[in-house]
Amino acid sequence: KNYLGHKLTNNSTASSRPPPEDCYRMDPSKSTRENGQDIFTALALRTTNENKRLSLLNGLVKLIERWKRENAVGSCGALLVGSPQRKLVQQREVGLGYAIGEWLFCVSASLVHQFTQIRAGALRAVRHLLMAPGDVRAFNELQLGHLVCRSLDVLLKNEEERVQALKLIRKQLVIAPELVSSVMVRCLVSLGESGAEDRAVRVDREDRMLRACLATLCEFGVLNPKLLIVCGGVSVITRNVLECHSPRIAESLCGVLLHMLEWPK
């Protein structure tokens, strides 16, 4: 009986796996540029199915990490600042085959896909593509912030998608806090307000997403307090200080408020 059950489990697992032709693998005999061109072309095709598209998005992330290793670039995008920034950005365009605007435009189609796994994979790929302030400008020019807000607002068993959207916002905050779109900050403020209302009704179930949003808003309070004030984030932080049941979180929120009170501007 155990053997049959184990066999059925293996068969069901094997049947759920995508076919080999839908699993993208980088060709080690090709250069990073050639692999990037293959991924770009396949992502741009409308006929690419869901399994292949998700595999391509994951392959793009691996390709970016490979390029970073080959060019001795750290995993943090904040390293692409200062005098070597322009040179490294040019090397990235040569290495990956396309400019950052072209890559963002190509991946953006997957941000509105019907499957949440693909949208999460696209958000992850965009996060790895952003490495310099110029990349954030290209992101804003395409108005992709609205699609990030869409991923944050939708509540249909898409926790991974929301996590990736929040990671993308925090990545931009690390690279260029002064360039982050106010659209995404207002979305975080809205989530913070709605989360506080839900917590007031059900104290025993504190939303983890609310904590993550509050942490991100606190980072804005330190790195770009003017944007936080304009978007109404101070009232959200103040309200959560009064209604928070965790002393550690309340202490952090108070620290950000005190920091902004001492902020000369």
Side-chain angles (χ1 to χ4, degrees):
K1 182 178 179 180
N2 293 335
Y3 172 76
L4 290 176
H6 181 68
K7 186 176 181 180
L8 288 173
T9 303
N10 288 339
N11 289 338
S12 61
T13 303
S15 62
S16 63
R17 293 175 181 172
E21 60 269 16
D22 289 343
C23 297
Y24 172 78
R25 296 182 183 275
M26 283 190 293
D27 190 344
S29 63
K30 293 183 178 181
S31 64
T32 305
R33 180 184 180 90
E34 291 172 332
N35 280 296
Q37 291 173 342
D38 292 342
I39 294 175
F40 189 96
T41 303
L43 283 175
L45 293 175
R46 292 186 177 181
T47 56
T48 303
N49 59 39
E50 292 79 11
N51 292 327
K52 184 66 175 292
R53 185 170 296 275
L54 182 59
S55 180
L56 288 166
L57 291 170
N58 293 332
L60 175 57
V61 174
K62 295 178 181 178
L63 186 69
I64 296 171
E65 294 301 318
R66 172 181 167 181
W67 174 84
K68 288 181 178 180
R69 290 193 300 269
E70 292 176 351
N71 292 271
V73 178
S75 59
C76 181
L79 295 178
L80 285 181
V81 295
S83 57
Q85 177 191 135
R86 182 175 300 177
K87 180 179 179 181
L88 286 173
V89 169
Q90 292 175 350
Q91 290 178 353
R92 181 189 59 185
E93 293 183 6
V94 174
L96 298 182
Y98 297 92
I100 182 63
E102 295 172 315
W103 273 114
L104 291 176
F105 186 79
C106 178
V107 177
S108 63
S110 299
L111 292 174
V112 293
H113 200 276
Q114 59 179 334
F115 291 112
T116 179
Q117 295 90 343
I118 294 180
R119 296 197 300 269
L123 290 167
R124 178 169 173 256
V126 171
R127 173 165 57 88
H128 283 268
L129 282 169
L130 300 183
M131 302 179 191
D135 302 341
V136 181
R137 293 190 186 94
F139 179 91
N140 293 334
E141 289 175 0
L142 293 173
Q143 298 185 1
L144 298 181
H146 296 281
L147 299 182
V148 177
C149 294
R150 177 180 180 270
S151 296
L152 280 172
D153 284 338
V154 177
L155 294 173
L156 296 173
K157 296 182 180 180
N158 62 333
E159 184 177 356
E160 177 62 25
E161 179 185 358
R162 301 182 80 195
V163 169
Q164 291 296 335
L166 195 57
K167 285 184 176 181
L168 176 56
I169 296 176
R170 300 183 78 168
K171 178 66 176 293
Q172 296 184 46
L173 190 58
V174 171
I175 297 174
E178 70 282 357
L179 297 177
V180 179
S181 173
S182 61
V183 173
M184 295 184 292
V185 182
R186 295 184 190 277
C187 180
L188 292 175
V189 170
S190 176
L191 290 173
E193 290 178 347
S194 60
E197 293 175 357
D198 294 340
R199 187 174 58 188
V201 177
R202 302 185 64 179
V203 179
D204 58 330
R205 185 183 176 186
E206 192 167 10
D207 186 13
R208 290 180 297 175
M209 195 65 188
L210 172 61
R211 294 187 179 187
C213 289
L214 289 176
T216 307
L217 289 175
C218 288
E219 291 180 1
F220 275 102
V222 175
L223 298 175
N224 193 348
K226 183 177 180 180
L227 181 60
L228 180 69
I229 294 171
V230 171
C231 295
V234 177
S235 61
V236 175
I237 294 177
T238 305
R239 180 178 179 182
N240 279 276
V241 169
L242 300 175
E243 300 178 358
C244 182
H245 300 280
S246 172
R248 294 176 60 186
I249 297 178
E251 181 181 359
S252 300
L253 297 176
C254 288
V256 173
L257 292 175
L258 291 173
H259 170 76
M260 287 190 290
L261 286 175
E262 295 181 355
W263 185 49
K265 297 182 181 180

